[in-house]
Amino acid sequence: MKLEVRHLRRLYGETKALDDVSFTIGSGEIVGFVGPNGAGKTTTMRILSTLDEPTSGDALLEGVSLLEHPERARAVIGYVPDSLPVHRDITIHEYLDFFARAYGIGLRRRESLIQSLEEFTNLMGIREKMLGELSKGMKQRVSLARALIHDPQILLMDEPAAGLDPRARIELRELVRVLAGRGKGILISSHILTELAEICDSALIIEQGRLLRSGTLEEITAPERMGRAMLVRVMADHARLAEEALLLPNVREARLIGTDVEIDLDGDDQACAALLAAIIGKGFAVVEFRPRLSNLEAVFMNVTKGDVQ
Amino acid sequence: MRILHAAYEWIDDALNPIVVKELRQAVQGKFITGILILFLFFQIGTLAFSLIDKAATNNFDLGRETFVVLMTFVLLAGTLAVPVYSGYRFATERSDLDSDLLFITTITPRAIVRGKFLAAFALVMLFYCASLPYMTITYFFRGIDLLSIFVLVVLSLVGVGLNIAICLFIACLPLNFALRIVVGLGALMPLFWVFGLSVAMTSEFLRMGIGARLLTWGLWEDMTPVLLFLVFCLGMLYVLSVAAISPPATNRAYGIRRFVTGFWALSLGIMLVYSVKAANARPLGAWIIIATGLLCMAILGAVSERTWCGRRVARTIPTNFLGRRLAFLFYSGSAGGLAWAIGLIVMTQVLPVVLLDAWGLGGLDLGYSFEREREGIVALTLYVIGYSLLGAWIRRTFFPDRIPVAFTWFLVALVAGLGGALPPIIGFILFGSDEEGWLLGNPFLGMQNGSWRETSLLFAAGFAGLMLLVHLPWMKAQWDRFQPVGEGAIDLDDVSALPS
Ligand SMILES: Nc1ncnc2c1ncn2[C@@H]1O[C@H](COP(=O)(O)OP(=O)(O)OP(=O)(O)O)[C@@H](O)[C@H]1O
Ligand SMILES: [Mg+2]
């Protein structure tokens, strides 16, 4: 199933929460959605989940307008909000049961479905807990299980990793991969870019409601990979490395940061490999050689300005 | 066993999800449990008090009095506590910031409203059940019979249903927090009103011994119009609530207009039969006045509706001659809504009289002051038409972007207020005149029992006629635009595709 977002615009009074945002999510595709606070990520997801309406623009699901037929969209879109709405006095299991009923899933399928979802999201042991008593990470899992109840073809996840413990984060990444493997298109927002970069096929960078860059990870990080900062750690003689590195080809700048040497480099991956070879060739014992920022982080820092409206 | 299981499965699937969830939450939550305990405490207290009383005195009305007190407690819970609690919960689920995810499941708006209603009703039944044993004990005191108890319990459920519907309707309205508080406080009036009437009805019916009169025509002669009106209120609140939570692209006006038209025809039929049977057309006269008044509100609603029905609705417009014309009247859209409301008002005024004549009952008395009241309500209707169209025109011409079409009614109220208040002030200041003629802009002038009724009727007719004339080209344009849209690719740069 393909979701095409076209010219979305959403105004809150004077604030342009979204300004002409267009992108496409194909089936099986994982799209990262990044941007500073207040960029419009949540707004986009709320509109796509039909919780909110755009001031103008629309989104098409297999050519069917989301505004015209929100009911059809609801049947194929799952939404994991950034916070679980308050439902007191109800257990996890009853909560999931309620949503399964609301999606019209009959008794015969419901029990086994909910059970499998609880296993999938690791909720089995706490299914009788009250919703109000859950920790943030537990709520996040309930939210994910709820979003998956009607087996949506498009999944919108608003900062699903926030509040999860390290193990759960890794598990979540696996879950997302599994879901994409089943052909679901996934839009996932996160502020932890290194994690996001590991699972996404493509990414959207948004700020102040405007889409700044979009495309596959390769495409959008290409400009930044042309000039980047590398961090080099050597066994000894780091001061000497900082001086001598300046003489190597393509090196623009080199400085000492603690015991690490940061080298600003012009050029692509080729130049990077050549630099490493040259440093080793000069007899330095290299312990670590890595980009100072991950590719996506570098793009993010370059493209966004950090202004809030 | 297999059949039992199949039956269980069928029942489970047919259950409204919301009822299941709300009851689970109510059982596990503290509020309802707390109220229930308090409630039982009061019931037992009342009964104990009566028992002591019974031993001490020889009160022949003790059963009746005790029952009224018990019933008051039940009604406090059933018409006030539970409805307000249910409405409040529903409203918090629907607040803008934290819209409940239930609304983006595939459950239909009807199922949501029905589920909320049934859940609240089930909670009220809990209170009734808790109270029934005590109520029946009053039978062993004096002055009450079991049939009366039963009838009163059933009748009181109408008030319960009405108040639940009112609270849920307010919760459905797309309002922000502050406005919702204002509207909610305003709604307290009808809520208390229904509560008070229910209590009054209980003691009044007991006094006249309803159990014995249940099968007499006299009772139903008095009750029919009232019951009819209550059913109308319930149905109207239901269709309005459903429309309020339906997606904007849907045919929201259709359900409302269909219900109003259907109920209009049904109640007209019942009132006619009733008039003939009772040889008394006064209730029919009252029906004409009330129906016209209610339809005036439909005019205000129509001008506040979107101009074009939107692509989704347009896809469902029938292509045949009659179908398209009917659809124009009933489908979402301002022009069609106006035509529908005005047409229905004209029929309300004309049809009953014609039908009575046809029945050979033209001489029947429609009510002592019917003609006067009718002139008043017609004048009011004409003013409403005039001001509504004027307001709609002002919005379209001067503030098409500034004021959302949904708030046209507010503009209309403003313009009507100015129309009533400004001329006398101007007249007094500029001309030093306090003649009543300056009051002609006041929509309520015609309702007064004064010498001005005829003048205001003429003035209002001229005003409404002029505004209608001004609107004719616009109406024509809307009718021309009301065309079926085929399936097909969507041009997203075509902004007009969205309802506006
Ligand atoms: N209900 C609202 N009323 C007014 N303005 C709003 C509302 N919701 C969002 N906004 C504004 O819209 C803009 C986008 O907000 P949004 O929540 O989409 O940002 P976000 O990208 O999700 O940010 P974060 O990373 O902090 O979650 C912000 O400027 C915000 O102030
Ligand atoms: Mg957000």
mmCIF file of all heavy atoms in Angstrom, chain B residues 350-377:
data_model
loop_
_atom_site.group_PDB
_atom_site.id
_atom_site.type_symbol
_atom_site.label_atom_id
_atom_site.label_comp_id
_atom_site.label_asym_id
_atom_site.label_seq_id
_atom_site.Cartn_x
_atom_site.Cartn_y
_atom_site.Cartn_z
ATOM 1 N N VAL B 350 -49.517 25.333 6.112
ATOM 2 C CA VAL B 350 -50.636 25.131 5.188
ATOM 3 C C VAL B 350 -51.293 23.763 5.348
ATOM 4 O O VAL B 350 -52.510 23.644 5.438
ATOM 5 C CB VAL B 350 -50.148 25.314 3.730
ATOM 6 C CG1 VAL B 350 -51.259 25.000 2.762
ATOM 7 C CG2 VAL B 350 -49.629 26.737 3.535
ATOM 8 N N LEU B 351 -50.463 22.727 5.410
ATOM 9 C CA LEU B 351 -50.964 21.361 5.304
ATOM 10 C C LEU B 351 -52.011 20.987 6.358
ATOM 11 O O LEU B 351 -53.057 20.425 6.011
ATOM 12 C CB LEU B 351 -49.783 20.383 5.351
ATOM 13 C CG LEU B 351 -49.977 19.090 4.562
ATOM 14 C CD1 LEU B 351 -50.291 19.391 3.112
ATOM 15 C CD2 LEU B 351 -48.725 18.230 4.667
ATOM 16 N N PRO B 352 -51.798 21.266 7.645
ATOM 17 C CA PRO B 352 -52.788 20.828 8.645
ATOM 18 C C PRO B 352 -54.171 21.404 8.376
ATOM 19 O O PRO B 352 -55.164 20.697 8.467
ATOM 20 C CB PRO B 352 -52.217 21.382 9.960
ATOM 21 C CG PRO B 352 -50.787 21.608 9.707
ATOM 22 C CD PRO B 352 -50.664 21.944 8.262
ATOM 23 N N VAL B 353 -54.191 22.676 8.019
ATOM 24 C CA VAL B 353 -55.474 23.323 7.776
ATOM 25 C C VAL B 353 -56.170 22.688 6.578
ATOM 26 O O VAL B 353 -57.362 22.369 6.620
ATOM 27 C CB VAL B 353 -55.256 24.837 7.542
ATOM 28 C CG1 VAL B 353 -56.578 25.539 7.361
ATOM 29 C CG2 VAL B 353 -54.476 25.437 8.703
ATOM 30 N N VAL B 354 -55.394 22.472 5.511
ATOM 31 C CA VAL B 354 -55.958 21.859 4.301
ATOM 32 C C VAL B 354 -56.495 20.468 4.628
ATOM 33 O O VAL B 354 -57.606 20.096 4.236
ATOM 34 C CB VAL B 354 -54.879 21.768 3.203
ATOM 35 C CG1 VAL B 354 -55.387 20.959 2.017
ATOM 36 C CG2 VAL B 354 -54.458 23.160 2.766
ATOM 37 N N LEU B 355 -55.712 19.702 5.384
ATOM 38 C CA LEU B 355 -56.121 18.327 5.689
ATOM 39 C C LEU B 355 -57.375 18.313 6.565
ATOM 40 O O LEU B 355 -58.276 17.503 6.361
ATOM 41 C CB LEU B 355 -54.980 17.580 6.381
ATOM 42 C CG LEU B 355 -53.837 17.180 5.444
ATOM 43 C CD1 LEU B 355 -52.699 16.541 6.214
ATOM 44 C CD2 LEU B 355 -54.345 16.229 4.367
ATOM 45 N N LEU B 356 -57.428 19.205 7.546
ATOM 46 C CA LEU B 356 -58.618 19.280 8.390
ATOM 47 C C LEU B 356 -59.849 19.604 7.561
ATOM 48 O O LEU B 356 -60.910 19.008 7.743
ATOM 49 C CB LEU B 356 -58.437 20.341 9.469
ATOM 50 C CG LEU B 356 -57.779 19.883 10.777
ATOM 51 C CD1 LEU B 356 -57.865 20.989 11.811
ATOM 52 C CD2 LEU B 356 -58.423 18.612 11.310
ATOM 53 N N ASP B 357 -59.667 20.538 6.636
ATOM 54 C CA ASP B 357 -60.764 20.899 5.737
ATOM 55 C C ASP B 357 -61.219 19.687 4.938
ATOM 56 O O ASP B 357 -62.403 19.414 4.809
ATOM 57 C CB ASP B 357 -60.315 22.014 4.776
ATOM 58 C CG ASP B 357 -60.634 23.374 5.367
ATOM 59 O OD1 ASP B 357 -61.488 23.408 6.283
ATOM 60 O OD2 ASP B 357 -60.031 24.373 4.939
ATOM 61 N N ALA B 358 -60.240 18.964 4.414
ATOM 62 C CA ALA B 358 -60.538 17.800 3.589
ATOM 63 C C ALA B 358 -61.310 16.762 4.394
ATOM 64 O O ALA B 358 -62.112 16.002 3.847
ATOM 65 C CB ALA B 358 -59.240 17.194 3.058
ATOM 66 N N TRP B 359 -61.056 16.777 5.699
ATOM 67 C CA TRP B 359 -61.739 15.821 6.582
ATOM 68 C C TRP B 359 -63.137 16.337 6.952
ATOM 69 O O TRP B 359 -63.863 15.714 7.704
ATOM 70 C CB TRP B 359 -60.929 15.631 7.854
ATOM 71 C CG TRP B 359 -60.636 14.216 8.163
ATOM 72 C CD1 TRP B 359 -61.534 13.186 8.162
ATOM 73 C CD2 TRP B 359 -59.383 13.660 8.522
ATOM 74 N NE1 TRP B 359 -60.913 12.023 8.493
ATOM 75 C CE2 TRP B 359 -59.580 12.288 8.725
ATOM 76 C CE3 TRP B 359 -58.097 14.189 8.696
ATOM 77 C CZ2 TRP B 359 -58.556 11.423 9.088
ATOM 78 C CZ3 TRP B 359 -57.100 13.344 9.057
ATOM 79 C CH2 TRP B 359 -57.312 11.967 9.245
ATOM 80 N N GLY B 360 -63.438 17.525 6.484
ATOM 81 C CA GLY B 360 -64.712 18.127 6.838
ATOM 82 C C GLY B 360 -64.711 18.673 8.247
ATOM 83 O O GLY B 360 -65.761 18.830 8.866
ATOM 84 N N LEU B 361 -63.551 18.949 8.780
ATOM 85 C CA LEU B 361 -63.451 19.429 10.152
ATOM 86 C C LEU B 361 -62.876 20.831 10.195
ATOM 87 O O LEU B 361 -62.228 21.230 11.154
ATOM 88 C CB LEU B 361 -62.564 18.492 10.974
ATOM 89 C CG LEU B 361 -63.161 17.107 11.207
ATOM 90 C CD1 LEU B 361 -62.120 16.177 11.777
ATOM 91 C CD2 LEU B 361 -64.348 17.206 12.156
ATOM 92 N N GLY B 362 -63.100 21.564 9.102
ATOM 93 C CA GLY B 362 -62.501 22.891 9.005
ATOM 94 C C GLY B 362 -62.901 23.796 10.151
ATOM 95 O O GLY B 362 -62.177 24.715 10.512
ATOM 96 N N GLY B 363 -64.051 23.535 10.744
ATOM 97 C CA GLY B 363 -64.515 24.429 11.797
ATOM 98 C C GLY B 363 -63.889 24.189 13.146
ATOM 99 O O GLY B 363 -64.137 24.934 14.084
ATOM 100 N N LEU B 364 -63.069 23.174 13.244
ATOM 101 C CA LEU B 364 -62.495 22.840 14.548
ATOM 102 C C LEU B 364 -61.668 24.002 15.091
ATOM 103 O O LEU B 364 -60.945 24.665 14.356
ATOM 104 C CB LEU B 364 -61.618 21.600 14.436
ATOM 105 C CG LEU B 364 -62.301 20.268 14.729
ATOM 106 C CD1 LEU B 364 -61.287 19.158 14.790
ATOM 107 C CD2 LEU B 364 -63.085 20.328 16.023
ATOM 108 N N ASP B 365 -61.766 24.172 16.377
ATOM 109 C CA ASP B 365 -61.072 25.265 17.045
ATOM 110 C C ASP B 365 -59.596 24.919 17.240
ATOM 111 O O ASP B 365 -59.257 23.944 17.892
ATOM 112 C CB ASP B 365 -61.762 25.470 18.404
ATOM 113 C CG ASP B 365 -60.994 26.444 19.258
ATOM 114 O OD1 ASP B 365 -60.251 27.258 18.678
ATOM 115 O OD2 ASP B 365 -61.159 26.379 20.489
ATOM 116 N N LEU B 366 -58.714 25.707 16.620
ATOM 117 C CA LEU B 366 -57.280 25.405 16.719
ATOM 118 C C LEU B 366 -56.663 25.990 17.981
ATOM 119 O O LEU B 366 -55.466 25.890 18.194
ATOM 120 C CB LEU B 366 -56.549 25.932 15.491
ATOM 121 C CG LEU B 366 -56.658 25.048 14.247
ATOM 122 C CD1 LEU B 366 -56.308 25.823 13.009
ATOM 123 C CD2 LEU B 366 -55.764 23.819 14.365
ATOM 124 N N GLY B 367 -57.470 26.593 18.760
ATOM 125 C CA GLY B 367 -56.899 27.143 19.988
ATOM 126 C C GLY B 367 -57.424 28.549 20.196
ATOM 127 O O GLY B 367 -57.668 29.279 19.239
ATOM 128 N N TYR B 368 -57.521 28.935 21.449
ATOM 129 C CA TYR B 368 -58.150 30.198 21.805
ATOM 130 C C TYR B 368 -57.411 31.387 21.185
ATOM 131 O O TYR B 368 -58.002 32.278 20.611
ATOM 132 C CB TYR B 368 -58.201 30.268 23.340
ATOM 133 C CG TYR B 368 -58.265 31.636 23.901
ATOM 134 C CD1 TYR B 368 -59.407 32.420 23.711
ATOM 135 C CD2 TYR B 368 -57.204 32.151 24.628
ATOM 136 C CE1 TYR B 368 -59.466 33.682 24.240
ATOM 137 C CE2 TYR B 368 -57.268 33.412 25.153
ATOM 138 C CZ TYR B 368 -58.393 34.176 24.956
ATOM 139 O OH TYR B 368 -58.438 35.426 25.482
ATOM 140 N N SER B 369 -56.075 31.360 21.286
ATOM 141 C CA SER B 369 -55.336 32.511 20.755
ATOM 142 C C SER B 369 -54.506 32.105 19.541
ATOM 143 O O SER B 369 -53.483 32.694 19.250
ATOM 144 C CB SER B 369 -54.418 33.068 21.843
ATOM 145 O OG SER B 369 -53.570 32.047 22.304
ATOM 146 N N PHE B 370 -54.971 31.078 18.834
ATOM 147 C CA PHE B 370 -54.146 30.499 17.774
ATOM 148 C C PHE B 370 -53.767 31.516 16.705
ATOM 149 O O PHE B 370 -52.600 31.651 16.351
ATOM 150 C CB PHE B 370 -54.875 29.316 17.138
ATOM 151 C CG PHE B 370 -54.152 28.746 15.966
ATOM 152 C CD1 PHE B 370 -52.956 28.059 16.146
ATOM 153 C CD2 PHE B 370 -54.629 28.918 14.676
ATOM 154 C CE1 PHE B 370 -52.279 27.547 15.066
ATOM 155 C CE2 PHE B 370 -53.939 28.413 13.593
ATOM 156 C CZ PHE B 370 -52.770 27.727 13.793
ATOM 157 N N GLU B 371 -54.754 32.246 16.209
ATOM 158 C CA GLU B 371 -54.468 33.166 15.099
ATOM 159 C C GLU B 371 -53.409 34.185 15.484
ATOM 160 O O GLU B 371 -52.507 34.488 14.714
ATOM 161 C CB GLU B 371 -55.739 33.873 14.634
ATOM 162 C CG GLU B 371 -56.616 33.014 13.705
ATOM 163 C CD GLU B 371 -55.824 32.366 12.566
ATOM 164 O OE1 GLU B 371 -54.903 33.011 12.024
ATOM 165 O OE2 GLU B 371 -56.124 31.198 12.235
ATOM 166 N N ARG B 372 -53.533 34.673 16.726
ATOM 167 C CA ARG B 372 -52.579 35.669 17.170
ATOM 168 C C ARG B 372 -51.165 35.079 17.256
ATOM 169 O O ARG B 372 -50.191 35.650 16.785
ATOM 170 C CB ARG B 372 -53.008 36.197 18.533
ATOM 171 C CG ARG B 372 -53.069 37.684 18.530
ATOM 172 C CD ARG B 372 -53.579 38.259 19.815
ATOM 173 N NE ARG B 372 -53.193 37.561 21.004
ATOM 174 C CZ ARG B 372 -54.035 37.313 22.006
ATOM 175 N NH1 ARG B 372 -55.288 37.664 21.894
ATOM 176 N NH2 ARG B 372 -53.616 36.706 23.093
ATOM 177 N N GLU B 373 -51.123 33.899 17.854
ATOM 178 C CA GLU B 373 -49.813 33.267 17.992
ATOM 179 C C GLU B 373 -49.216 32.918 16.639
ATOM 180 O O GLU B 373 -48.020 33.024 16.414
ATOM 181 C CB GLU B 373 -49.931 31.999 18.847
ATOM 182 C CG GLU B 373 -49.933 32.315 20.322
ATOM 183 C CD GLU B 373 -50.514 31.189 21.139
ATOM 184 O OE1 GLU B 373 -50.701 30.090 20.577
ATOM 185 O OE2 GLU B 373 -50.788 31.422 22.326
ATOM 186 N N ARG B 374 -50.097 32.500 15.745
ATOM 187 C CA ARG B 374 -49.608 32.130 14.427
ATOM 188 C C ARG B 374 -49.006 33.342 13.728
ATOM 189 O O ARG B 374 -47.920 33.255 13.155
ATOM 190 C CB ARG B 374 -50.755 31.565 13.598
ATOM 191 C CG ARG B 374 -50.352 31.301 12.179
ATOM 192 C CD ARG B 374 -51.526 30.954 11.344
ATOM 193 N NE ARG B 374 -51.252 29.714 10.634
ATOM 194 C CZ ARG B 374 -52.126 29.090 9.892
ATOM 195 N NH1 ARG B 374 -53.344 29.526 9.794
ATOM 196 N NH2 ARG B 374 -51.796 28.009 9.255
ATOM 197 N N GLU B 375 -49.701 34.461 13.803
ATOM 198 C CA GLU B 375 -49.139 35.669 13.182
ATOM 199 C C GLU B 375 -47.782 36.006 13.781
ATOM 200 O O GLU B 375 -46.851 36.366 13.070
ATOM 201 C CB GLU B 375 -50.099 36.849 13.372
ATOM 202 C CG GLU B 375 -51.184 36.882 12.318
ATOM 203 C CD GLU B 375 -52.239 37.915 12.639
ATOM 204 O OE1 GLU B 375 -51.975 38.798 13.505
ATOM 205 O OE2 GLU B 375 -53.306 37.855 12.041
ATOM 206 N N GLY B 376 -47.714 35.848 15.082
ATOM 207 C CA GLY B 376 -46.441 36.135 15.764
ATOM 208 C C GLY B 376 -45.329 35.238 15.268
ATOM 209 O O GLY B 376 -44.235 35.705 14.915
ATOM 210 N N ILE B 377 -45.603 33.941 15.194
ATOM 211 C CA ILE B 377 -44.530 33.011 14.825
ATOM 212 C C ILE B 377 -44.162 33.167 13.350
ATOM 213 O O ILE B 377 -42.998 33.037 12.976
ATOM 214 C CB ILE B 377 -44.915 31.548 15.166
ATOM 215 C CG1 ILE B 377 -43.672 30.660 15.214
ATOM 216 C CG2 ILE B 377 -45.878 30.948 14.170
ATOM 217 C CD1 ILE B 377 -42.938 30.728 16.481
#
